[in-house]
């Protein structure tokens, strides 16, 4: 099958080519899929996209019109694709539902520890030959209450690691798993109670109409003053403007973000020679208690290998017209 692979990054090329084993002709394209770039898929049978490509109805219509029948996502999240529209256009779509929940969970913990122990500040100081410890005081994770919002594949691993740290763990999920929870002393509760009791809150729910801005001004007001909040899930779970106001007041004491609601066009790219146009992220970057990474929580060799292998398996199923266990249906 001839596949237009949009948003191809240097770090994943070898993994994709190795997994394809010459079975599929991969056209590795750097641009993101959008209305303007859709034409690059001309003469292909399938399009392969990543998290910040545009999978809206108009774009799908355009690629359908040039003959694309298959859409394969190199991601678990699919909130950026209009699956109903794809289905109506007769296009089969599939994702990589799981590639390494450990990668994302471990990065979540890395953000917590780096913020708590002020590792970035300490590193920068030492490069200036400033070996003072003033201002670097952290807190013991042991004994603190961690609130996990979403206890699916990633949230559970985060909870299990934090259990190992000796944290008390509270969780909120619309589909609680009490058997799992009892093994790690996890207590399911309502979201507002979780917010009011937790020292650390970490988000692991998908972006849906119910979870959009699940963290907003009202909910932040219920949190403990100085709470640590981490989001490695999807940017729009958090109302960023409300979070900035809470950072200014000290209500949020630490913020770790691997995702940002306006990350499309910004994250994954080198903008070091550009003028930053996004005033919200510019403000976020001024806080010394905010740590931002550029949607890299998934980025381990294990995850890249698994993403590539599953993507190629999905293409194999589509080419052979067989059932695909990772198929997305409306
Ligand atoms: P998952 O589907 O295994 O788990 C999600 C959990 O959220 C489920 O238990 C579900 O019941 C729960 N949930 C759904 N709606 C909810 C709601 N309204 N309130 C509370 N809980 C709700 O997903 P996962 O693989 O654990 O992924 C979690 C998040 O991480 C997703 O947003 C995904 O897009 C994101 N993610 C980020 C990266 C990254 O690199 N930063 C990589 C992979 C996944």
């Amino acid at each position: 099958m001839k596949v237009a692979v949009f948003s191809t990054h240097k770090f994943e090329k070898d993994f994709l080519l190795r997994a394809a084993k010459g079975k599929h002709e991969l056209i590795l394209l750097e641009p993101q899929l959008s209305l303007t770039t859709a034409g690059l898929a001309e003469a292909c049978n399938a399009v392969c996209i990543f998290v910040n490509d545009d999978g809206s109805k108009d774009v799908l219509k355009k690629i359908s019109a040039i003959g694309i029948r298959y859409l394969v996502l190199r991601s678990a999240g699919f909130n950026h694709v209009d699956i109903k529209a794809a289905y109506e256009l007769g296009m089969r779509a599939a994702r990589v539902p799981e590639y390494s929940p450990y990668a994302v969970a471990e990065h979540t913990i890395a953000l917590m520890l780096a913020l708590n122990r002020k590792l970035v500040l300490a590193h920068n100081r030492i490069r200036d030959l400033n070996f003072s410890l003033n201002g670097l005081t952290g807190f013991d994770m042991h004994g603190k209450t961690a609130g996990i919002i979403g206890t699916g594949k990633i949230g559970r691993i985060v909870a299990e690691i934090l259990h190992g740290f000796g944290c008390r763990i509270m969780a909120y999920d619309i589909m609680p798993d009490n058997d799992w929870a009892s093994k790690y002393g996890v207590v399911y509760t309502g979201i507002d109670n979780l917010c009011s009791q937790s020292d650390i809150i970490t988000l692991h729910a998908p972006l849906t109409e119910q979870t959009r801005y699940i963290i907003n001004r009202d909910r932040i007001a219920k949190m403990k003053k100085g709470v640590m909040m981490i989001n490695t899930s999807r940017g729009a779970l958090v109302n960023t403007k409300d979070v900035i106001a809470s950072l200014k007041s000290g209500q949020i004491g630490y913020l770790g973000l691997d995702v940002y609601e306006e990350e499309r066009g910004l994250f994954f790219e080198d903008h070091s020679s550009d003028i930053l146009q996004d005033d919200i992220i510019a403000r976020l970057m001024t806080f010394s208690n905010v740590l931002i990474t550029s949607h890299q929580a998934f980025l381990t060799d294990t995850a890249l290998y698994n993403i590539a292998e599953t993507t190629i398996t999905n293409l194999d199923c589509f080419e052979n017209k067989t059932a695909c266990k990772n198929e997305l249906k409306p």
Side-chain angles (χ1 to χ4, degrees):
M1 197 171 323
K2 191 166 174 181
V3 190
V5 185
F6 284 87
S7 298
T8 316
H9 299 278
K10 192 175 168 199
F11 59 72
E12 60 180 341
K13 280 185 182 169
D14 287 348
F15 288 94
L16 287 165
L17 293 173
R18 238 177 286 147
K21 295 188 188 90
K23 287 183 290 183
H24 302 284
E25 187 187 346
L26 303 185
I27 314 295
L28 302 180
L29 303 164
E30 281 183 20
Q32 287 182 353
L33 175 64
S34 68
L35 268 183
T36 0
T37 62
L40 294 171
E42 189 83 57
C44 292
N45 320 90
V47 155
C48 177
I49 60 171
F50 199 39
V51 282
N52 286 328
D53 289 292
D54 183 352
S56 63
K57 190 174 186 170
D58 287 347
V59 176
L60 296 181
K61 271 190 189 163
K62 197 154 176 188
I63 57 172
S64 169
I66 58 170
I68 299 301
R69 292 288 158 262
Y70 309 109
L71 185 65
V72 286
L73 281 59
R74 306 197 297 291
S75 62
F78 54 92
N79 53 285
H80 55 308
V81 180
D82 188 335
I83 299 300
K84 186 165 169 277
Y87 194 74
E88 284 166 3
L89 289 162
M91 214 181 275
R92 291 180 76 185
R95 64 174 177 143
V96 183
E98 174 175 338
Y99 37 85
S100 173
Y102 299 99
V104 185
E106 289 168 12
H107 189 79
T108 303
I109 302 293
L111 288 174
M112 284 179 196
L113 291 174
L115 277 164
N116 174 6
R117 306 309 296 266
K118 303 179 174 58
L119 295 185
V120 177
L121 188 59
H123 175 70
N124 289 339
R125 266 190 196 183
I126 281 179
R127 287 155 69 101
D128 284 341
L129 303 183
N130 176 354
F131 295 89
S132 156
L133 298 184
N134 293 330
L136 298 184
T137 308
F139 60 84
D140 280 21
M141 302 278 282
H142 182 95
K144 294 293 181 299
T145 300
I148 319 275
I149 298 180
T151 51
K153 293 179 283 298
I154 297 167
R156 281 175 201 220
I157 297 167
V158 171
E160 290 165 23
I161 297 172
L162 291 174
H163 174 73
F165 280 11
C167 292
R168 170 181 171 240
I169 310 206
M170 304 190 87
Y172 167 69
D173 196 299
I174 47 168
M175 306 256 287
D177 179 345
N178 291 312
D179 288 344
W180 165 79
S182 61
K183 274 192 228 155
Y184 297 95
V186 175
V187 177
Y188 277 107
T189 183
I191 185 164
D192 289 329
N193 190 39
L194 177 149
C195 286
S196 66
Q197 297 214 31
S198 299
D199 302 292
I200 302 164
I201 295 173
T202 180
L203 305 174
H204 302 289
L207 177 61
T208 63
E209 281 319 305
Q210 292 71 45
T211 60
R212 183 175 297 276
Y213 288 169
I214 199 167
I215 300 298
N216 53 40
R217 191 173 45 180
D218 294 344
R219 216 148 251 152
I220 295 168
K222 297 191 168 93
M223 295 177 188
K224 285 187 182 177
K225 191 159 177 82
V227 65
M228 175 186 286
M229 200 169 69
I230 308 287
N231 185 11
T232 59
S233 287
R234 282 293 177 266
L237 295 182
V238 168
N239 182 322
T240 316
K241 285 186 181 159
D242 291 353
V243 162
I244 288 174
S246 326
L247 283 160
K248 284 163 81 175
S249 71
Q251 178 68 4
I252 292 182
Y254 309 79
L255 178 69
L257 297 181
D258 186 53
V259 286
Y260 168 56
E261 52 180 320
E262 299 299 334
E263 70 180 51
R264 186 181 282 171
L266 185 63
F267 281 17
F268 299 128
E269 309 300 334
D270 179 359
H271 290 286
S272 54
S273 312
D274 301 340
I275 305 287
L276 180 59
Q277 298 297 324
D278 183 329
D279 292 347
I280 297 180
I281 199 156
R283 182 67 179 101
L284 273 180
M285 289 181 334
T286 65
F287 296 101
S288 62
N289 53 352
V290 173
L291 185 50
I292 303 172
T293 50
S294 177
H295 207 137
Q296 72 172 74
F298 73 98
L299 195 60
T300 66
D301 53 359
T302 306
L304 290 175
Y305 174 84
N306 291 337
I307 290 170
E309 292 292 326
T310 307
T311 300
I312 298 303
T313 304
N314 292 343
L315 286 167
D316 292 345
C317 294
F318 288 162
E319 185 167 59
N320 300 328
K321 306 209 174 337
T322 53
C324 172
K325 69 176 171 60
N326 304 318
E327 188 154 357
L328 289 162
K329 294 201 173 142

